């Protein structure tokens, strides 16, 4: 599925990250647990300047638990830290503060020996709608960063204080100028790419094909369908019929497609992971 979406503010955001990363001690790399590998932005590799990284698999409440365990082990290799969480749950992100202190322990001890208390700084990065701002609000215990269940809510960088000892830099969700069709499709499914630049019908058919391969029973149960070995578009027609999504007696494909995607994104079909570990990591 060919998708291209790289608004101008993302170019500005990448430039600001290149400047700000020099002032931070730790990078918090937020990934949507449903598609963590697809959320890896290759442009960030050039920006992070070998800073210590805390990988955060966010939205684990929406992802397949068995896949999440595999991906957590993958990102925790080479002494990296990988934390899994649902940032909408109060106080669920406290382990990130401990991780920041651990990764910056040498700096803390160095200044402590001089009798100086220092402020640690961390930068939060990730693709659009991966939950960065929600994570920051969780860390703060109150609303400080704008959030929304859609991409590109945060359009500029902002520093947020966590008490007197840690400052967090929230950055805009940022993609990269060119990505593979598979990656684009996965990011569109988890709503990291704006719906209005994507063919919703085609995207829904891609999702249905995926669901029939990996989560067939959950998919059929959601729409009270039987296993008839149909094509994705035939199943979409069945869904339109069951839900009464009709236009002059014919299936309303657009309405049906949006309903299917919304059901996936809101976990009504079940906990689903798009990035299959064994297919990507060989």
């Amino acid at each position: 599925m060919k998708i291209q979406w790289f608004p101008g503010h993302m170019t500005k955001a990448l430039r600001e990250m290149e400047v700000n990363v020099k002032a931070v001690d730790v990078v918090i790399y937020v990934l949507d647990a449903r598609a963590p590998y697809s959320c890896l932005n290759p442009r960030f590799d050039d920006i992070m300047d070998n800073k210590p990284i805390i990988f955060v698999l966010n939205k684990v409440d929406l992802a397949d638990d068995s896949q999440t365990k595999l991906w957590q082990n993958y990102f925790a290799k080479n002494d990296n830290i990988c934390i899994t969480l649902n940032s909408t749950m109060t106080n669920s992100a406290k382990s990130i503060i401990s991780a920041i202190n651990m990764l910056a322990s040498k700096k803390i001890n160095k200044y402590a020996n001089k009798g100086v208390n220092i402020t640690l700084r961390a930068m939060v990065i990730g693709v659009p709608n991966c939950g960065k701002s929600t994570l920051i609000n969780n860390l703060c215990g109150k609303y400080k960063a704008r959030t929304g269940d859609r991409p590109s809510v945060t359009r500029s960088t902002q520093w947020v204080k966590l008490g007197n000892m840690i400052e967090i830099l929230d950055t805009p969700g940022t993609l990269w100028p060119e990505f593979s069709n598979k990656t684009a499709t996965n990011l569109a499914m988890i709503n990291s790419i704006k719906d209005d630049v994507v063919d919703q019908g085609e995207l829904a058919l891609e999702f249905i094909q995926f669901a029939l391969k990996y989560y067939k029973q959950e998919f059929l149960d959601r729409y009270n369908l039987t296993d008839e070995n149909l094509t994705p578009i035939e199943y979409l027609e069945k869904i339109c019929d069951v839900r009464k999504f009709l236009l002059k007696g014919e299936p309303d494909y657009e309405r049906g497609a949006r309903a299917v995607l919304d059901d996936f994104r809101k976990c009504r079909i079940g906990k689903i992971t798009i990035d299959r570990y064994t297919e990507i990591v060989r």
Side-chain angles (χ1 to χ4, degrees):
M1 186 174 186
K2 185 68 175 178
I3 304 170
Q4 211 59 48
W5 184 57
F6 190 72
H9 76 272
M10 292 187 183
T11 300
K12 178 184 176 184
L14 288 169
R15 290 172 181 160
E16 290 180 349
M17 286 181 204
E18 288 179 323
V19 173
N20 287 316
V21 74
K22 296 180 175 66
V24 304
D25 303 291
V26 177
V27 172
I28 302 171
Y29 202 150
V30 184
L31 309 169
D32 188 314
R34 295 169 297 175
Y37 196 82
S38 295
C39 288
L40 291 173
N41 186 337
R43 280 290 286 112
F44 291 160
D45 295 341
D46 303 326
I47 290 172
M48 288 187 287
D49 195 30
N50 294 318
K51 298 288 183 177
I53 301 172
I54 302 170
F55 290 103
V56 176
L57 297 184
N58 195 19
K59 304 187 181 184
V60 293
D61 54 313
L62 308 178
D64 185 328
D65 293 332
S66 61
Q67 289 290 313
T68 297
K69 289 178 183 177
L70 293 170
W71 283 117
Q72 183 178 23
N73 291 336
Y74 173 81
F75 286 106
K77 288 179 180 178
N78 303 320
D79 296 323
N80 288 326
I81 294 176
C82 183
I83 295 171
T84 64
L85 57 81
N86 167 13
S87 60
T88 64
M89 286 184 61
T90 303
N91 296 324
S92 63
K94 284 186 175 180
S95 57
I96 292 178
I97 296 177
S98 300
I100 293 172
N101 286 318
M102 185 179 76
L103 289 176
S105 59
K106 288 185 179 179
K107 182 175 181 178
I108 294 171
N109 294 333
K110 175 183 175 181
Y111 283 89
N113 290 335
K114 299 177 181 179
V116 178
N117 291 324
I118 60 167
T119 297
L120 300 177
R121 292 182 174 87
M123 183 168 72
V124 182
I125 63 175
V127 300
N129 202 33
C130 63
K132 298 182 306 302
S133 296
T134 302
L135 174 63
I136 289 172
N137 290 336
N138 190 311
L139 288 168
C140 296
K142 53 187 172 182
Y143 180 90
K144 287 201 174 183
R146 290 184 62 206
T147 64
D149 188 20
R150 63 186 189 280
S152 291
V153 172
T154 302
R155 301 297 291 268
S156 60
T157 56
Q158 54 180 328
W159 285 99
V160 177
K161 285 191 175 183
L162 307 183
N164 296 321
M165 303 303 295
I166 298 177
E167 292 181 353
I168 303 285
L169 180 64
D170 188 16
T171 64
T174 311
L175 296 173
W176 50 110
E178 295 182 6
F179 31 66
S180 71
N181 292 343
K182 176 62 173 172
T183 298
T185 298
N186 293 349
L187 291 174
M189 284 184 188
I190 62 172
N191 203 21
S192 286
I193 296 176
K194 279 189 174 182
D195 280 343
D196 57 10
V197 301
V198 179
D199 184 323
Q200 296 294 284
E202 187 177 349
L203 184 63
L205 292 177
E206 293 270 8
F207 171 75
I208 292 172
Q209 184 174 13
F210 169 85
L212 291 172
K213 182 176 181 179
Y214 294 103
Y215 301 95
K216 190 169 191 176
Q217 196 56 55
E218 293 90 338
F219 177 80
L220 295 175
D221 289 347
R222 171 62 187 168
Y223 302 106
N224 297 316
L225 301 174
T226 56
D227 186 355
E228 301 178 53
N229 198 29
L230 303 177
T231 64
I233 195 165
E234 287 171 333
Y235 273 116
L236 182 57
E237 290 170 350
K238 288 273 189 181
I239 292 168
C240 290
D241 184 55
V242 169
R243 294 288 182 87
K244 306 302 180 187
F245 296 156
L246 304 172
L247 286 174
K248 297 181 180 179
E250 296 296 322
D252 185 343
Y253 292 103
E254 182 177 352
R255 190 177 176 193
R258 291 185 181 278
V260 169
L261 292 171
D262 193 57
D263 284 345
F264 157 62
R265 292 167 179 171
K266 294 182 178 175
C267 207
R268 299 188 189 108
I269 298 171
K271 301 179 76 171
I272 292 175
T273 296
I274 300 294
D275 280 346
R276 311 301 294 177
Y277 178 84
T278 54
E279 291 186 358
I280 296 172
V281 180
R282 303 185 187 280

